[in-house]
Amino acid sequence: MMAKTILITGASSGIGRATALLFADKGWNVAATLRDPLRADSALRHPNISLFALDVTKADSIAQAVVDALARYQTIDVLLNNAGYGLFGPIEALDDRQIQQQFATNLFGLIGVTQQVLPIMRAAGEGLILNISSIIGRMALPYASSYIATKFAVEGLSESMRYELEPFHIRVKIVEPGSIATEFGKGSMQMAVRDPYRASMNKFLSVFTKSNSAGAKPEEVAKVIYRAANDSSNRLRYLAKPGPFFWLNRILPDAIWRRLLVKVMVS
Ligand SMILES: NC(=O)c1ccc[n+]([C@@H]2O[C@H](COP(=O)([O-])OP(=O)(O)OC[C@H]3O[C@@H](n4cnc5c(N)ncnc54)[C@H](OP(=O)(O)O)[C@@H]3O)[C@@H](O)[C@H]2O)c1
């Protein structure tokens, strides 16, 4: 059987990198895309992985990477829209440029890559788009409003796309990680803070970053992504290590949930 091909955005670190390595070890062809392929570590120099430059905020870069990946592998069976980062801060402190950059990366970038890949999948008569959302694509926390807005948007976008792509045998799936120990909680977060939110946001950040660095390994998310990629059902959502906070949000009445969240994270 011919090996299948996956194109991954944001493969330099964390979930994207772990997924590239898992799929490559399983015998898939992996088009691993990075903003700067020169930054790829030695593990990514794997015989089943080809590296391509791709910045999801740049239309030319998306188009070129998709052309190059297609030339290398002749097909793209699965697209993993993974690239993203979190912008943190009270809404009053975020400037337009920061908010636009957040949406340009996490939402418009994902749309741009998807639009380039869809004609290839339609021509092939099948395909799978896997979008990385988050548990905070389904529940909100404070001080991350624009990051959370991008993930809620990814959820709605994906759910809508699944209906329009079904006639072409292209499935859409969403993977929702909980706290995962990656660069996300270290270098990748962007911050804006100011009074009178400072003390409360500092408490939130200390809880958030602690939970992030104690989070699950990105390899655990990669396994869920692999399962989703090989699941021929029409299931839409796959949780990946959601953690107890997610389940409490699902089961507690709103008034109790709100008091708990405020006590643990902000007051
Ligand atoms: N870690 C968590 O707790 C968690 C939880 C839920 C969801 N997620 C989601 O999981 C995804 C991966 O994050 P991660 O945790 O693996 O963090 P990460 O280690 O920081 O990886 C993020 C990746 O996105 C790339 N990226 C950022 N901006 C980009 C752009 N403009 N174009 C192309 N690539 C870009 C980064 O590339 P560079 O190296 O070039 O910056 C990096 O490869 C994100 O969508 C994130 O929102 C993470």
Side-chain angles (χ1 to χ4, degrees):
M1 222 169 56
M2 258 204 8
K4 286 195 169 189
T5 300
I6 182 170
L7 186 144
I8 302 174
T9 64
S12 67
S13 65
I15 295 168
R17 176 181 174 279
T19 306
L21 295 176
L22 177 65
F23 277 69
D25 284 345
K26 298 277 188 188
W28 283 54
N29 299 320
V30 180
T33 75
L34 306 85
R35 275 194 283 198
D36 179 6
L38 293 177
R39 283 192 46 222
D41 64 23
S42 57
L44 285 172
R45 318 252 166 211
H46 186 292
N48 292 348
I49 298 180
S50 297
L51 303 172
F52 302 98
L54 194 165
D55 181 331
V56 298
T57 64
K58 300 196 168 115
D60 292 356
S61 157
I62 297 174
Q64 191 60 55
V66 170
V67 165
D68 292 346
L70 197 60
R72 171 76 180 86
Y73 293 123
Q74 289 75 54
T75 179
I76 297 172
D77 301 291
V78 178
L79 166 63
L80 178 65
N81 281 311
N82 163 74
Y85 71 93
L87 171 61
F88 287 77
I91 193 72
E92 258 194 276
L94 305 179
D95 66 36
D96 284 358
R97 190 196 47 81
Q98 289 173 313
I99 296 171
Q100 276 160 12
Q101 188 63 21
Q102 177 73 111
F103 276 80
T105 305
N106 291 15
L107 181 63
F108 305 139
L110 175 152
I111 294 172
V113 181
T114 303
Q115 286 176 327
Q116 284 291 326
V117 169
L118 278 179
I120 297 164
M121 291 183 173
R122 270 196 306 100
E126 61 181 353
L128 172 63
I129 311 282
L130 270 169
N131 290 332
I132 300 294
S133 171
S134 168
I135 55 165
I136 54 180
R138 285 210 272 159
M139 57 179 268
L141 299 177
Y143 302 124
S145 53
S146 61
Y147 173 61
I148 285 170
T150 65
K151 293 301 188 186
F152 270 62
V154 166
E155 295 270 340
L157 178 94
S158 307
E159 193 165 333
S160 177
M161 275 169 40
R162 84 195 289 218
Y163 299 115
E164 53 187 67
L165 296 176
E166 197 176 324
F168 305 104
H169 309 289
I170 299 170
R171 285 169 303 127
V172 180
K173 291 174 180 283
I174 308 167
V175 174
E176 301 167 321
S179 278
I180 311 299
T182 64
E183 291 306 310
F184 183 90
K186 300 183 219 153
S188 297
M189 282 165 88
Q190 283 188 21
M191 301 287 172
V193 64
R194 66 146 120 153
D195 290 330
Y197 302 98
R198 200 177 298 274
S200 164
M201 178 160 164
N202 283 344
K203 167 148 186 200
F204 165 79
L205 280 179
S206 101
V207 176
F208 185 87
T209 48
K210 248 185 233 145
S211 129
N212 209 265
S213 49
K217 291 198 164 85
E219 287 74 15
E220 296 294 330
V221 184
K223 283 186 207 158
V224 176
I225 293 169
Y226 189 75
R227 185 153 49 82
N230 287 287
D231 178 356
S232 58
S233 79
N234 286 321
R235 178 171 163 191
L236 180 63
R237 291 187 168 84
Y238 297 74
L239 285 161
K241 299 283 167 184
F245 231 49
F246 174 78
W247 294 116
L248 287 171
N249 172 268
R250 303 314 278 179
I251 58 173
L252 290 177
D254 184 60
I256 298 175
W257 162 254
R258 190 173 51 76
R259 279 207 297 278
L260 174 74
L261 183 128
V262 168
K263 189 170 178 348
V264 173
M265 293 196 113
V266 290
S267 68

